[in-house]
Amino acid sequence: QVQLVESGGGLVQAGGSLRLSCAASGRTFSRYAMGWFRQVPGKEREFVAAIKWNGDSTYYEDSVKGRFTISRDNAKNTMFVQMNSLKPEDTAVYYCAVKETLGWGPLLIDPSGYDYWGQGTQVTVSS
């Protein structure tokens, strides 16, 4: 059974940093794109960042560019996002997801196109 488990969330002051991890099990995702999304109550899940299966391409939502860095370790079936200079508006539940594609492009920002999801981890940034 496929399972994605996020970790690393928590409470941090504005300007601080967190590193989220997403550990995949049940199958190997080294040939698929992966992404991070976030959601706050009452709003739709929104794209944060995505990374190509081989890690050589990344894409970010505008508000996190220059502050967040997505990466992956295919040998360990794990994806990360380093979040620096956090702002209160970054507060959300963060989800990792896998899209079964070797492709790359704007389709990766659409959450409905992803095939597997984690349960989410809460990130709270205090002002």
Side-chain angles (χ1 to χ4, degrees):
Q1 184 172 346
V2 173
Q3 188 175 22
L4 300 176
V5 179
E6 301 95 337
S7 61
L11 173 63
V12 64
Q13 288 188 331
S17 298
L18 284 173
R19 188 191 193 210
L20 305 184
S21 299
C22 172
S25 61
R27 62 181 296 183
T28 299
F29 292 111
S30 60
R31 300 284 286 176
Y32 299 138
M34 298 184 74
W36 287 99
F37 292 79
R38 63 188 180 187
Q39 190 170 23
V40 298
K43 292 189 176 181
E44 294 186 351
R45 193 165 296 187
E46 69 170 3
F47 171 78
V48 174
I51 187 166
K52 196 175 179 181
W53 69 272
N54 58 3
D56 71 354
S57 293
T58 58
Y59 186 72
Y60 297 92
E61 192 271 329
D62 285 346
S63 69
V64 308
K65 284 181 181 177
R67 300 189 297 121
F68 290 14
T69 303
I70 189 172
S71 60
R72 64 191 296 168
D73 183 342
N74 284 341
K76 297 182 178 179
N77 235 15
T78 304
M79 177 179 65
F80 309 94
V81 62
Q82 177 67 42
M83 306 187 296
N84 298 329
S85 302
L86 283 162
K87 304 175 181 180
E89 50 263 45
D90 294 317
T91 295
V93 177
Y94 282 72
Y95 298 89
C96 68
V98 172
K99 182 175 177 66
E100 293 185 319
T101 179
L102 293 174
W104 186 248
L107 289 176
L108 287 164
I109 69 173
D110 181 0
S112 68
Y114 282 73
D115 301 289
Y116 304 101
W117 290 88
Q119 84 291 346
T121 185
Q122 176 70 46
V123 171
T124 302
V125 185
S126 63
S127 58

